[in-house]
Structures are given as structure tokens and as C-alpha cells.
């Protein structure tokens, strides 16, 4: 019974926000960039990695072939830091079935502002 009341309250709250004209996320925030930031992690419902992305499965990568990405991640997720580094391993962490985490291996280098 409590669970049903909680769901009803959540739906009514969302309806009130919609009727008043507000949104939880502004349209400007919801728009994706033309090009992702290097190292950006997002979720996709694909069975394959799109071009410029890799699944976050703890893979060991070559520093020489991925210097920019290594400069952001370092050895935080593994690797020896001389020749190799690892991507985060987010297998099984998805809150949604059949959706996986992917990391951008190509894109804009993030700046500090």
C-alpha cells in the first residue's frame, strides 16, 4: 500500500511540474554535444560500440595509441602506467537492463574553466 501511494505522489508531482510549465531538466541541458568530450562516459542500448566509443569493461589499452585518454584516466583503473592503462569496468553497473556504459575514445579534450 505504501509503495502505491509513493508512486501516485510521484506521478502527481510530475504532472504538476508539466502543467505549470517547468521541467526538471532544461532543454539546453538535455541536448547532446556535436562531439563528446574525450573520456566522457554515457549509456547506450547497443550491442556494439559506436565509432569513437568503447564499452567500459576494464580493457587494457596501449598508452602509445591512446595518449590523450591516458592523460585523463592515468592508471586509476589499472595498467602499468608505462605501456598500458585500463578503462573503467562498469559491467553489471547499469540501472537499466540491456544498456551498457561506453567511454568516448575520440572527442574534444576537456578544458578546465
Amino acid at each position: 500500500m505504501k509503495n502505491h501511494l509513493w508512486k501516485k505522489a510521484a506521478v502527481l508531482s510530475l504532472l504538476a511540474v508539466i502543467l505549470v510549465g517547468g521541467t526538471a531538466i532544461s532543454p539546453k541541458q538535455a541536448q547532446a554535444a556535436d562531439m563528446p568530450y574525450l573520456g566522457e562516459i554515457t549509456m547506450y542500448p547497443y550491442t556494439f560500440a559506436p565509432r569513437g566509443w568503447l564499452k567500459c569493461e576494464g580493457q587494457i589499452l596501449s598508452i602509445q595509441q591512446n595518449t590523450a585518454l591516458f592523460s585523463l584516466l592515468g592508471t586509476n583503473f589499472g595498467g602499468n602506467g608505462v605501456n598500458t592503462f585500463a578503462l573503467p569496468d562498469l559491467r553489471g553497473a547499469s540501472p537499466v537492463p540491456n544498456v551498457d556504459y561506453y567511454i568516448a575514445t575520440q572527442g574534444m579534450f576537456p578544458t578546465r574553466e
Side-chain angles (χ1 to χ4, degrees), residues 22-87:
T23 59
I25 299 174
S26 74
K28 188 173 185 179
Q29 289 173 327
Q31 294 175 349
D34 292 337
M35 180 178 288
Y37 285 111
L38 181 66
E40 177 180 330
I41 296 176
T42 193
M43 296 170 66
Y44 288 121
Y46 307 144
T47 57
F48 62 92
R51 182 175 295 133
W53 296 82
L54 287 174
K55 275 188 177 181
C56 292
E57 296 180 329
Q59 303 93 309
I60 301 294
L61 300 180
S62 163
I63 293 173
Q64 186 176 7
Q65 294 175 347
N66 301 281
T67 54
L69 186 57
F70 172 70
S71 72
L72 295 171
L73 300 181
T75 57
N76 287 317
F77 306 104
N80 63 19
V82 176
N83 301 311
T84 63
F85 70 104
L87 297 181

